[in-house]
Amino acid sequence: MPIQTDCGIFGTVSTKYIQINTILDGLSKLQHRGRDCYGISLINNEKIELLTFSGSVNTNTSSVINSLSWLGHLRYATSGAKDIDTILLNCQPFLSRNGYAIAHNGNIPQSVWNVLADKYNDKYYNSSSTDTKKLIHFINYLISNSSNIDWLSIIKNVLNEIPYAYSIAIQTNKGDTWLFKDRFGVRPMTLVKCDDCCYFSSESVAFDDIDFSKLEDVLPGEIINITPDINIFHHQGITSVAKQCVFEWIYFLRGDTIINKVKVDEFRVELGKCLSEQLKNKKYSSSGVSLSHWFLENNALVCGVPSSGVIYGKRLAYELGLEYNQFIEKKTDMRTFILENNDKRIKACKEKYNIEDCITNKVIVIVDDSIVRGNTMKYLIKYIRSFSPKQIHLVSGCPPIARPCQYGVDFADIEELIINRIPDIKDLEKELDVDSLTYLNQNDLDIISNKMIGGVCNGCMTNTYLD
């Protein structure tokens, strides 16, 4: 199963009525963040209404629904059963009896909830519910112990009590919208103010025809209040230590997304440069020459695995003076290769990818963004082998993923991660049936991350998690 992130958020507050088509269009641009279901909440006469749907976002609607306040959410089901009824039951936004809707991107470890339940002696706490439902339960507890709903105080309490890892949007029936992130800012959230409205989203790619110089990122530990008349108030809710998820930058985020004034593809280009330097310094087997020299001597073709691997592959080819050829084309967005037998896995691979017949007797270099379980790559390589290339060399734009993510990325269990099952690179090359395998060096990733992003969370690679 390719890796899944848990969700995307898109919404708007406006002084003029906005149609549902605008929200559907914005959510569709975040489709890479979730395809299991999507939901939309809107305000109608101080009442919040909710629409939920299964599957991918359908932008072809004849519905004429208008509102001044919208909150949309889409997700992969990283928790709970996968049947349609359960997926829709867990579809966000969720509505609360206290007059608000909430949408959440991230994952809050169970240990955090256990501490809170003990601290507040909460006998109604349900450990089996989703994070967002637990958040509603906690927020409603805070509301029940207040004489009035003071959202700024409530959110500050949430930030103090729950250290990570979330970006959250709350829509109130009074028309206010509140955006906030945990103290580390693990998951992305951005906003932009136009003349008569304010848009907010997990990624800037959801915004159309805007002045990108006006983009603002919700900062770690920050609380932003968007009022019905489009005034925006910023509050620092808690002392912050920025730790963005580096795997968002390597894999999930769309290349044209902008965060903290940095375009994601610019970051990936720098990683492609680092990979080219590694190949210049890495010897190929017992030949005594570098891999890059071997590729040049043999007129190797470079190809990135669509879609995240393409930018890495193109930059690597450019830096090494090699021909780039997109002989792997993506036909569908099929997500799983965990099928019951090899024949079905190969069939699924053929349904997902098209291979151009131009690689017979060629040395080829396949560049992917990451190798996690290895299932997709193993059967893609087997498919490529059917075209009789001379050699296949594999390059990963990410260091080995050796630990599960605790903060919202649906990685495998630790024993399913291929680097743990087969830690020796030579053995892993044999398992994947490639002539060489090169991972991005962790030190290079750290240097580029610190330079371009700032503080990052890389616990899935280094086993160093948030404090």
Side-chain angles (χ1 to χ4, degrees):
M1 181 192 296
I3 314 131
Q4 303 167 0
T5 190
D6 50 342
C7 59
I9 295 170
F10 177 79
T12 183
V13 181
S14 178
T15 57
K16 296 181 179 179
Y17 281 99
I18 290 178
Q19 290 191 357
I20 189 173
N21 304 69
T22 299
I23 309 307
L24 293 171
D25 184 63
L27 285 173
S28 71
K29 293 180 173 65
L30 300 175
Q31 196 72 86
H32 56 289
R33 302 188 68 87
R35 295 182 182 274
D36 284 338
C37 61
Y38 61 104
I40 301 169
S41 60
L42 64 145
I43 297 179
N44 185 3
N45 295 324
E46 294 194 2
K47 179 183 178 182
I48 300 178
E49 299 178 1
L50 180 64
L51 307 170
T52 59
F53 310 86
S54 62
S56 299
V57 177
N58 180 11
T59 58
N60 296 319
T61 178
S62 58
S63 298
V64 181
I65 306 174
N66 299 297
S67 180
L68 300 174
S69 176
W70 294 91
L71 175 58
H73 183 279
L74 45 73
R75 75 188 289 259
Y76 279 125
T78 58
S79 62
K82 286 283 191 171
D83 61 276
I84 290 178
D85 288 342
T86 303
I87 285 174
L88 287 177
L89 184 65
N90 291 324
C91 186
Q92 299 181 41
F94 290 139
L95 303 186
S96 167
R97 64 179 184 273
N98 283 305
Y100 67 91
I102 186 170
H104 164 225
N105 172 25
N107 185 64
I108 301 170
Q110 185 60 46
S111 57
V112 172
W113 296 117
N114 293 340
V115 169
L116 276 179
D118 290 342
K119 178 176 179 178
Y120 290 96
N121 192 26
D122 186 358
K123 62 182 179 181
Y124 299 108
Y125 165 69
N126 181 2
S127 62
S128 63
S129 62
T130 65
D131 281 344
T132 316
K133 290 179 180 178
K134 292 171 187 172
L135 276 167
I136 289 176
H137 179 76
F138 182 54
I139 290 171
N140 287 346
Y141 172 86
L142 297 174
I143 291 173
S144 69
N145 285 276
S146 303
S147 56
N148 65 313
I149 301 180
D150 179 352
W151 278 110
L152 182 58
S153 296
I154 287 168
I155 294 171
K156 283 184 177 181
N157 204 323
V158 171
L159 288 169
N160 275 282
E161 296 284 19
I162 305 177
Y164 41 65
Y166 49 85
S167 288
I168 294 173
I170 291 177
Q171 174 192 55
T172 76
N173 59 1
K174 302 300 182 184
D176 284 277
T177 294
W178 296 83
L179 310 176
F180 60 101
K181 294 170 76 170
D182 67 83
R183 68 192 68 177
F184 298 102
V186 178
R187 298 286 160 223
M189 177 78 80
T190 189
L191 70 152
V192 62
K193 183 178 179 181
C194 303
D195 292 337
D196 51 19
C197 65
C198 179
Y199 295 99
F200 55 92
S201 174
S202 294
E203 296 188 39
S204 63
V205 291
F207 305 141
D208 275 334
D209 301 324
I210 62 155
D211 182 352
F212 281 89
S213 67
K214 296 181 179 179
L215 277 179
E216 295 182 51
D217 294 286
V218 183
L219 302 176
E222 185 178 30
I223 304 168
I224 293 179
N225 174 214
I226 309 169
T227 67
D229 53 358
I230 321 301
N231 286 316
I232 299 176
F233 298 96
H234 297 256
H235 309 272
Q236 190 61 33
I238 193 170
T239 303
S240 63
V241 181
K243 292 282 187 181
Q244 293 182 66
C245 171
V246 74
F247 202 74
E248 287 266 11
W249 286 77
I250 290 171
Y251 177 81
F252 287 127
L253 296 169
R254 262 186 40 180
D256 46 351
T257 285
I258 298 172
I259 298 179
N260 294 333
K261 311 301 181 186
V262 177
K263 193 174 182 179
V264 172
D265 268 349
E266 294 173 357
F267 173 77
R268 292 172 180 169
V269 162
E270 291 303 312
L271 297 189
K273 290 181 183 179
C274 290
L275 286 168
S276 69
E277 290 301 315
Q278 284 184 224
L279 295 179
K280 290 177 183 178
N281 295 313
K282 182 176 180 177
K283 294 289 189 280
Y284 175 48
S285 188
S286 58
S287 66
V289 302
S290 68
L291 264 175
S292 61
H293 185 73
W294 178 264
F295 295 157
L296 281 168
E297 280 190 335
N298 288 274
N299 298 314
L301 296 180
V302 180
C303 182
V305 178
S307 54
S308 300
V310 171
I311 191 70
Y312 299 100
K314 285 184 175 180
R315 193 64 197 191
L316 184 146
Y318 174 82
E319 294 292 332
L320 297 182
L322 299 171
E323 179 182 349
Y324 185 87
N325 187 315
Q326 194 61 55
F327 55 79
I328 304 174
E329 295 181 350
K330 193 175 182 180
K331 296 191 291 184
T332 74
D333 289 313
M334 183 183 300
R335 288 173 33 237
T336 181
F337 281 88
I338 301 181
L339 300 171
E340 41 285 37
N341 58 57
N342 289 351
D343 288 341
K344 288 191 176 183
R345 289 170 182 144
I346 290 295
K347 182 175 182 291
C349 195
K350 290 179 179 179
E351 289 174 354
K352 182 170 184 177
Y353 296 110
N354 181 59
I355 309 294
E356 289 188 17
D357 192 5
C358 64
I359 59 175
T360 301
N361 206 33
K362 296 278 190 179
V363 173
I364 61 174
V365 183
I366 305 298
V367 186
D368 205 358
D369 46 68
S370 58
I371 305 169
V372 183
R373 294 172 177 88
N375 292 308
T376 302
M377 184 53 63
K378 182 176 179 179
Y379 294 100
L380 178 58
I381 293 295
K382 189 171 183 178
Y383 181 26
I384 292 171
R385 284 285 183 198
S386 68
F387 293 86
S388 303
K390 182 178 180 180
Q391 292 181 344
I392 300 176
H393 299 263
L394 179 58
V395 179
S396 170
C398 178
I401 301 295
R403 295 290 184 274
C405 175
Q406 299 182 12
Y407 313 119
V409 180
D410 188 24
F411 285 152
D413 294 332
I414 190 168
E415 64 271 10
E416 294 177 352
L417 298 168
I418 195 168
I419 197 65
N420 293 326
R421 290 192 291 109
I422 311 171
D424 183 84
I425 294 297
K426 292 298 180 185
D427 291 339
L428 191 48
E429 289 171 347
K430 292 178 182 177
E431 171 71 14
L432 296 173
D433 193 21
V434 294
D435 294 272
S436 75
L437 169 61
T438 303
Y439 282 101
L440 178 68
N441 182 279
Q442 183 69 54
N443 186 59
D444 288 337
L445 175 60
D446 292 343
I447 291 171
I448 298 300
S449 298
N450 289 333
K451 176 183 175 182
M452 299 188 72
I453 305 175
V456 296
C457 175
N458 57 14
C460 58
M461 306 164 197
T462 64
N463 200 28
T464 303
Y465 291 103
L466 303 177
D467 295 325

